[in-house]
């Protein structure tokens, strides 16, 4: 590991412990070092192993190698028709977190069309996950319950699509699948799909920039460099650079309250599926609020009812909590196809989101000094 990796990790730990002076200093050390930069192609970096391995954005990663150590994200996140299991899927809440191209939450942008909810959104939405009727793994990703066939993009041929009925236990329950960390070509070629050597990024330069910005906000030292750090990350999502303000929604406000809302959306959008979300919710003091909400999925047969007839748009508060009150919804195993799907009703003790269980061997070794955390 390099000095940059040490400082990036130090900045992360300091941020998570509200030691904002240290977080600002450590992240600034990485920025001014000049070794790392944002990869111009967000999607390729995180869906192509070779691109990630060569990217200057990666400060530290966890490497894998066939015959030595592999993981199974290809099949755990892959679509059924390409040999995947769709065990790990994005939620409707994540989809609704992404801003519009106007830089606004969907409930604040009058141009947002709830009948066509995936259009004119932050490009990181479709770079991070596959949405219905979009190409992925050389197929048109189709989850409509009546779609017995779909189209292979490279040939135009029609191919059988696994049953998409709500009762099929192998179908993506939310209507979405991850692109991030899925090796597209190997899934297309059906090559070693049960194993993957895709390297897992542990520290990315984008996170360092967002850490620097958040530390500046919480230190009360907001200045142009705060906005520059945020806008570097935002502009990259649109395939451009910070100074090209006509081609991405730049942040210009210096108000701490507004910037806190932006940082929460940015970290959710930029770092989705990278293992930091739960810790973010804990340190922001909103984990119980966010993690006790039911898990939502899209309507199985599209947005004709919710978006078209009802024109329903969920409301989003300053913490990023998305409220679906008033919308038609039903349990995932139900018979309807036009409602939001309730994928999971969370009913565990919210204290469990704050602490991990202490291993019994550690309790035994403490001779009664160490006691188990509440709820375990």
């Amino acid at each position: 590991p390099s000095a940059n990796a040490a400082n990036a990790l130090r900045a992360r730990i300091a941020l998570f412990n509200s030691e904002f002076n240290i977080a600002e200093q450590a992240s600034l050390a990485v920025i001014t070092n000049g070794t790392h930069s944002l990869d111009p192609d967000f999607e390729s970096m995180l869906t192509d192993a070779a691109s990630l391995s060569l990217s200057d954005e990666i400060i530290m990663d966890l490497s894998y190698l066939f015959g030595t150590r592999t993981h199974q994200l290809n099949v755990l996140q892959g679509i059924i028709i390409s040999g995947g299991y769709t065990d790990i899927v994005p939620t409707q809440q994540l989809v609704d977190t992404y801003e519009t191209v106007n830089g606004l939450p969907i409930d604040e942008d009058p141009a947002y069309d709830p009948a066509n909810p995936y259009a004119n959104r932050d490009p990181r939405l479709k770079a991070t996950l596959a949405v219905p009727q979009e190409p992925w793994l050389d197929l048109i990703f189709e989850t409509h319950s009546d779609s017995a066939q779909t189209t292979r993009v490279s040939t135009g041929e029609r191919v059988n699509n696994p049953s998409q009925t709500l009762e099929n236990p192998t179908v993506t329950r939310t209507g979405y699948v991850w692109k991030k960390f899925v090796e597209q070509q190997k899934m297309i070629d059906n090559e070693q799909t049960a194993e993957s050597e895709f390297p897992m990024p542990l520290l990315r330069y984008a996170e360092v920039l967002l850490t620097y910005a958040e530390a500046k906000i919480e230190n009360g030292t907001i200045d142009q460099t705060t906005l520059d750090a945020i806008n570097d990350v935002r502009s990259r999502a649109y395939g451009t650079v910070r100074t090209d303000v006509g081609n991405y929604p730049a942040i210009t406000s210096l108000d701490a309250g507004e910037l806190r809302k932006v940082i929460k959306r940015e970290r959710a959008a930029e770092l989705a599926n990278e293992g930091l979300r739960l810790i973010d919710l804990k340190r922001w003091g909103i984990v119980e609020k966010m993690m006790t909400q039911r898990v939502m999925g899209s309507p199985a047969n599209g947005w004709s009812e919710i978006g078209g007839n009802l024109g329903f748009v969920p409301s989003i508060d300053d913490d990023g909590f998305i409220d679906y009150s008033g919308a038609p919804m039903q349990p995932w195993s139900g018979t309807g196809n036009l409602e939001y799907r309730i994928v999971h009703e969370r009913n565990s003790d919210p204290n469990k989101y704050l602490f991990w269980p202490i291993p019994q061997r550690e309790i035994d070794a403490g001779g009664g000094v160490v006691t188990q955390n509440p709820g375990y």
Side-chain angles (χ1 to χ4, degrees):
S2 65
N4 283 322
N7 276 318
L9 181 59
R10 185 169 177 248
R12 177 191 287 178
I13 294 171
L15 186 71
F16 288 172
N17 287 279
S18 300
E19 296 177 343
F20 300 116
N21 286 326
I22 296 174
E24 181 178 340
Q25 294 164 10
S27 55
L28 182 60
V30 180
I31 294 169
T32 56
N33 180 274
T35 301
H36 296 282
S37 59
L38 292 173
D39 194 300
D41 191 334
F42 176 82
E43 181 171 349
S44 290
M45 175 185 61
L46 294 170
T47 59
D48 179 74
S51 296
L52 187 143
S53 297
L54 296 172
S55 177
D56 288 336
E57 182 165 342
I58 305 304
I59 300 173
M60 179 184 288
D61 66 24
L62 182 61
S63 297
Y64 294 85
L65 182 66
F66 286 122
T68 303
R69 177 175 60 182
T70 59
H71 59 80
Q72 293 185 306
L73 284 183
N74 277 346
V75 290
L76 293 176
Q77 299 185 158
I79 59 178
I80 306 298
I81 193 172
S82 293
Y85 302 154
T86 61
D87 282 350
I88 303 173
V89 291
T91 65
Q92 185 64 46
Q93 279 96 333
L94 175 62
V95 171
D96 290 339
T97 295
Y98 287 89
E99 297 175 351
T100 69
V101 292
N102 296 318
L104 296 170
I106 59 173
D107 65 332
E108 295 181 17
D109 190 344
Y112 170 70
D113 180 6
N116 192 16
Y118 312 124
N120 301 315
R121 302 288 293 278
D122 182 329
R124 286 172 294 189
L125 170 58
K126 293 181 182 179
T128 300
L129 55 95
V131 301
Q133 288 82 55
E134 290 285 331
W136 176 234
L137 303 182
D138 197 31
L139 298 161
I140 299 301
F141 176 56
E142 181 58 80
T143 62
H144 195 288
S145 63
D146 295 334
S147 297
Q149 289 188 318
T150 188
T151 302
R152 190 169 299 283
V153 176
S154 60
T155 64
E157 67 177 316
R158 298 289 287 171
V159 295
N160 291 332
N161 200 27
S163 173
Q164 298 296 321
T165 61
L166 292 179
E167 292 75 19
N168 186 338
T170 62
V171 168
T172 169
R173 290 160 175 78
T174 62
Y176 310 106
V177 292
W178 291 106
K179 290 183 177 179
K180 207 182 238 188
F181 310 140
V182 173
E183 294 182 280
Q184 180 170 196
Q185 196 58 49
K186 286 186 177 177
M187 295 297 286
I188 292 172
D189 297 339
N190 197 25
E191 176 189 346
Q192 293 178 300
T193 55
E195 295 183 88
S196 175
E197 55 181 3
F198 195 108
M200 290 292 103
L202 300 178
L203 294 165
R204 283 204 288 129
Y205 186 61
E207 181 195 348
V208 172
L209 291 172
L210 294 178
T211 294
Y212 174 75
E214 185 173 353
K216 295 277 287 183
I217 294 165
E218 299 307 327
N219 277 331
T221 57
I222 298 169
D223 58 16
Q224 186 59 45
T225 67
T226 312
L227 301 184
D228 288 349
I230 297 172
N231 286 328
D232 277 342
V233 176
R234 289 171 69 85
S235 61
R236 187 271 297 276
Y238 286 80
T240 187
V241 294
R242 182 207 328 144
T243 53
D244 186 20
V245 293
N247 288 309
Y248 79 98
I251 298 298
T252 58
S253 174
L254 294 172
D255 177 76
E258 287 300 312
L259 289 175
R260 286 189 182 100
K261 290 189 286 186
V262 169
I263 283 291
K264 287 175 180 174
R265 291 200 299 271
E266 280 301 306
R267 287 186 68 90
E270 178 71 26
L271 303 173
N273 203 28
E274 296 187 38
L276 300 176
R277 180 62 172 169
L278 181 59
I279 302 175
D280 280 345
L281 298 181
K282 287 181 179 180
R283 66 188 181 84
W284 290 328
I286 58 174
V287 65
E288 181 175 351
K289 172 182 179 179
M290 304 293 276
M291 293 296 292
T292 54
Q293 185 188 32
R294 56 177 39 140
V295 178
M296 302 294 293
S298 67
N301 283 6
W303 298 92
S304 60
E305 177 66 18
I306 292 175
N309 293 336
L310 299 179
F312 177 82
V313 180
S315 60
I316 307 174
D317 71 10
D318 291 353
D319 290 326
F321 180 87
I322 303 175
D323 186 357
Y324 297 93
S325 298
M329 60 184 70
Q330 66 169 283
W332 178 83
S333 59
T335 58
N337 293 323
L338 299 175
E339 301 89 350
Y340 281 115
R341 287 175 279 188
I342 302 171
V343 178
H344 177 59
E345 294 276 11
R346 291 193 176 106
N347 55 12
S348 60
D349 183 350
N351 288 323
K352 290 188 176 183
Y353 298 124
L354 298 176
F355 303 101
W356 295 112
I358 299 173
Q360 187 61 46
R361 64 179 179 275
E362 301 296 335
I363 296 174
D364 295 341
V369 176
V370 178
T371 57
Q372 186 57 272
N373 282 326
Y376 293 98

